[in-house]
Amino acid sequence: ALAVSRMEGGFEQQAVLKMPLGSPPSPDAVRRMMRERQLLASLKHPGLPSMIDGGVLDDGAPFLVIERIAGQPIDDYADTRQLSLRERVALLRKVVNIVAYAHAQLVLHRDIKPSNILIDDGGRVVLLDFGVAQSLQGDATATNVGYTLAYAAPEQVRGERSTAATDVYGLAALACRLLGGEGPFPGMQASTQVRAVLEHTPQLPAGIDRDLAAILLRALRKEPQSR
């Protein structure tokens, strides 16, 4: 992704240009970019970046131009401002509302993590990067093309079909980081963390009340249908 700008009608607009790597890009990279472009075009929400333009280059590579969000990742934002537990939960609620909107449009994000959630100086919360997102309409049986292990659900690690419960798990893993400073399985090598995601009980943030702990434990259950 590259930061770009354009001058039109007397004003300058900041944006981000996304293109698949490689020349020519791989067919799989082209498919992912086309899917991301299609999904973003179907989503209109203040918590999502707006799509400005899209097309195909001479070598057949698709490109996508989206709104540029100038902000901090949600965990850095909360930590640098030393937000209280209540304020952090309020931020999480905003993220949940964005994801709920996407789900209502039959779109799964599948890569919810702090670096994909930016907050600008005005407090706007924006969920970014639909590069591995999935539509429940056309490819509901598709397996995952990528994930971030620290926030990945067991079914993603196993390469199984994603559902709305996959994003629910990602939101709970994000909550662990935002409320407790660490993900649900911190300080592990990748191979050990894979086993922990599949088999072990997650580590919840210290100091949260019983109701919040119960919500997180349910959202982090191994079986998607139990979340």
Side-chain angles (χ1 to χ4, degrees):
L2 298 172
V4 296
S5 63
R6 70 175 180 178
M7 293 292 296
E8 184 175 335
F11 68 92
E12 183 177 6
Q13 184 176 28
Q14 301 293 321
V16 174
L17 172 66
K18 297 187 69 172
M19 295 183 296
L21 296 175
S23 184
S26 71
D28 187 54
V30 170
R31 282 194 297 271
R32 289 200 302 270
M33 179 61 67
M34 295 292 286
R35 180 173 58 192
E36 180 177 6
R37 192 173 73 185
Q38 181 179 1
L39 293 179
L40 280 179
S42 69
L43 300 173
K44 306 294 182 185
H45 189 280
L48 298 171
S50 58
M51 193 177 83
I52 298 171
D53 199 1
V56 179
L57 301 177
D58 291 341
D59 64 356
F63 68 89
L64 174 65
V65 182
I66 62 174
E67 173 189 8
R68 181 172 180 263
I69 308 299
Q72 283 182 287
I74 189 171
D75 54 344
D76 292 343
Y77 180 93
D79 291 346
T80 56
R81 286 163 176 75
Q82 298 183 326
L83 298 187
S84 67
L85 177 64
R86 182 176 293 274
E87 290 170 325
R88 290 168 187 257
V89 171
L91 284 181
L92 283 168
R93 287 170 62 92
K94 292 182 179 180
V95 179
V96 169
N97 287 336
I98 298 168
V99 175
Y101 166 80
H103 287 181
Q105 309 306 310
L106 302 179
V107 174
L108 306 179
H109 187 275
R110 301 201 299 174
D111 196 18
I112 296 171
K113 58 184 178 182
S115 61
N116 278 343
I117 303 161
L118 297 186
I119 305 179
D120 67 16
D121 291 339
R124 179 188 175 194
V125 180
V126 183
L127 177 62
L128 302 175
D129 198 352
F130 281 71
V132 297
Q134 174 181 305
S135 170
L136 288 177
Q137 291 178 307
D139 56 354
T141 61
T143 57
N144 298 290
V145 296
Y147 57 82
T148 303
L149 181 56
Y151 301 92
E155 62 270 22
Q156 289 180 289
V157 174
R158 290 191 293 260
E160 297 172 353
R161 182 173 69 91
S162 295
T163 67
T166 304
D167 281 349
V168 169
Y169 186 102
L171 288 167
L174 170 69
C176 288
R177 166 62 186 94
L178 198 60
L179 304 181
E182 298 281 358
F185 301 103
M188 299 179 183
Q189 298 291 330
S191 58
T192 305
Q193 196 171 44
V194 165
R195 181 172 181 180
V197 170
L198 296 177
E199 300 177 5
H200 297 175
T201 300
Q203 177 179 308
L204 296 184
I208 62 175
D209 64 37
R210 183 165 50 186
D211 289 341
L212 186 52
I215 291 170
L216 294 183
L217 280 175
R218 178 165 183 174
L220 290 168
R221 286 180 179 175
K222 307 301 183 187
E223 308 81 12
Q225 65 274 18
S226 299
R227 294 178 200 144

